[in-house]
Amino acid sequence: MDIQVPGPKKMDLQLEVQKVGVCGTDRDIIAGFYGECPQGSDYLVLGHESISRVSDIGAGVSGFRRGDMVVPTVRRNCFENCFNCRSGESDMCLTGDYKEHGIKGLHGFAREFAISDSRFVVKLPGSLSDLGILLEPLTVVEKGEVQTFKLQQGRMKWKPKNALVLGAGPVGLLATAILRLRGLEVETVATRSKQSVKARLVEQTGARYINAKETPLNSLEGKYDIVFEITGSASVAYEAQKLIGVNGVLCFLGIYKAQQDTGDAGKLFTNIVLGNKVLFGSVNANKEYFEKGVKDLLSIRRKWNGFLEKIITRRANYEDLERAYSPESEEEIKTVIEFRK
Ligand SMILES: [Zn+2]
């Protein structure tokens, strides 16, 4: 399909898209669970994980040059009187009228050229011109981790020792790496065998891999200072609150489908109260987390050689876009669509 891309407006960058990552959100949009076309458009271009080269620059933009490798953030401010959007925290938008490239009201980056407001774009060092495609999924972890520590350190003297990550998709693997970087003992749970790529990646960081088919979650009750729930399964999420120990924190990063008979709410709330526990959700990430993510990508790469490379299990050509969005194998972790040869 041919789409006209206009020249950049005053604060915009024109982007020559290099790579786009495929994730569960894209597949959910294709399946019709969510996604919203831009105003006046009867289609939505997908693609919120991307790397581009700057190809043209608006007259009011500073700090960018043609040829810079960049990653645009996903969410854009709502245009209402929203304190958080105006304060650089569109990820905490109060009105819900924000827009998101490739998800809600703005076209995404799965196309040869695109436009983004320069104020929502971060520069990549040349050495991340390929692996920087993992920056957007990493920012989900960055925000979850920063908020976890702020919450906990804001309410007590806190010295966490260990963390549990539920799920070993791209975000779960990146969460494992980040929590290991912070010096925590980490255990990561998924349902693949101990010989799987995911299990080996977990172990490369010095974390322990747990196959939930062999080790039931209820054997891990009360063990952890931090739990990250990334499976998106409501029943796992319900179990997850039992796994945090006294004074622990549970960060939900999944999107959960409705489920009626999950468990005993009375027991759950009492458990939270008597254990001084915090359960919170986190979505999206503002530019600050993207900048932090760039530094952490470099650290992960330095520390665990080949780890980031192995998360990318398939590379598809953009001419084969449709196939790129359907999973091909059980061992698939992240598919990247290449827009330039
Ligand atoms: Zn807002």
Side-chain angles (χ1 to χ4, degrees):
M1 173 176 200
D2 287 326
I3 307 167
Q4 280 303 60
V5 173
K9 283 193 265 185
K10 194 173 171 196
M11 295 310 291
D12 286 348
L13 295 173
Q14 189 194 64
L15 305 172
E16 186 193 63
V17 178
Q18 308 292 307
K19 296 165 199 296
V20 165
V22 173
C23 87
T25 303
D26 298 311
R27 290 176 180 140
D28 283 349
I29 293 171
I30 293 169
F33 291 124
Y34 41 88
E36 190 184 308
C37 300
Q39 218 176 11
S41 177
D42 58 1
Y43 61 88
L44 173 72
V45 178
L46 288 174
H48 56 280
E49 303 174 3
S50 65
I51 292 185
S52 286
R53 189 187 292 276
V54 174
S55 52
D56 202 0
I57 298 175
V61 175
S62 61
F64 290 95
R65 283 198 232 168
R66 279 181 201 219
D68 281 348
M69 280 297 187
V70 296
V71 174
T73 67
V74 180
R75 193 177 282 190
R76 299 292 174 269
N77 290 357
C78 70
F79 287 97
E80 286 164 58
N81 192 14
C82 170
F83 172 73
N84 290 88
C85 281
R86 281 186 307 160
S87 314
E89 291 186 340
S90 59
D91 60 315
M92 300 304 247
C93 176
L94 289 164
T95 68
D97 293 333
Y98 57 79
K99 291 184 172 161
E100 289 178 336
H101 280 285
I103 301 172
K104 184 175 182 283
L106 288 173
H107 286 313
F109 302 105
R111 47 184 170 151
E112 291 167 275
F113 287 93
I115 295 282
S116 171
D117 186 324
S118 61
R119 291 163 290 189
F120 294 86
V121 173
V122 292
K123 272 204 268 191
L124 280 180
S127 60
L128 288 179
S129 63
D130 184 48
L131 295 172
I133 195 64
L134 297 173
L135 179 57
E136 197 280 335
L138 177 63
T139 62
V140 173
V141 179
E142 295 285 354
K143 179 176 172 182
E145 188 250 348
V146 166
Q147 306 238 324
T148 293
F149 277 78
K150 278 192 175 170
L151 280 166
Q152 292 293 84
Q153 288 168 341
R155 72 189 185 113
M156 66 180 146
K157 294 184 178 72
W158 193 52
K159 232 180 165 183
K161 286 200 188 75
N162 66 359
L164 178 73
V165 178
L166 294 165
V171 177
L173 290 169
L174 291 167
T176 302
I178 290 294
L179 294 165
R180 287 290 302 136
L181 271 187
R182 307 293 184 254
L184 293 159
E185 290 164 26
V186 181
E187 299 187 328
T188 301
V189 176
T191 51
R192 298 279 179 270
S193 78
K194 287 197 170 149
Q195 283 71 45
S196 64
V197 179
K198 288 180 176 183
R200 277 182 278 135
L201 284 171
V202 166
E203 279 165 2
Q204 190 186 352
T205 68
R208 188 166 86 95
Y209 179 77
I210 298 173
N211 179 354
K213 287 180 180 160
E214 293 165 4
T215 308
L217 284 184
N218 59 22
S219 68
L220 306 173
E221 265 178 39
K223 263 187 76 178
Y224 304 95
D225 299 312
I226 301 170
V227 175
F228 273 28
E229 201 313 299
I230 316 176
T231 66
S233 152
S235 49
V236 174
Y238 185 81
E239 289 303 310
Q241 48 84 20
K242 299 180 194 160
L243 310 185
I244 40 176
V246 170
N247 298 348
V249 56
L250 166 56
C251 171
F252 293 107
L253 293 170
I255 300 291
Y256 304 91
K257 303 215 163 67
Q259 196 171 315
Q260 294 292 331
D261 55 343
T262 316
D264 180 336
K267 227 179 186 174
L268 161 67
F269 295 134
T270 302
N271 179 31
I272 294 170
V273 171
L274 296 183
N276 282 312
K277 298 177 185 183
V278 167
L279 278 64
F280 79 102
S282 173
V283 69
N284 190 255
N286 67 46
K287 198 176 152 189
E288 200 184 303
Y289 300 114
F290 278 72
E291 282 160 352
K292 199 162 171 291
V294 169
K295 290 185 194 141
D296 280 332
L297 274 182
L298 291 169
S299 305
I300 292 171
R301 205 185 48 175
R302 253 195 317 269
K303 204 152 182 186
W304 300 296
N305 186 29
F307 175 84
L308 296 170
E309 285 86 346
K310 285 187 209 113
I311 291 180
I312 301 170
T313 45
R314 180 159 61 125
R315 293 187 187 258
N317 190 286
Y318 77 99
E319 282 149 347
D320 210 6
L321 209 60
E322 225 166 288
R323 250 186 44 204
Y325 283 96
S326 35
E328 265 185 354
S329 87
E330 274 247 303
E331 286 276 342
E332 180 157 335
I333 305 175
K334 172 65 70 189
T335 294
V336 173
I337 305 168
E338 302 279 358
F339 279 78
R340 311 281 155 183
K341 298 249 162 74

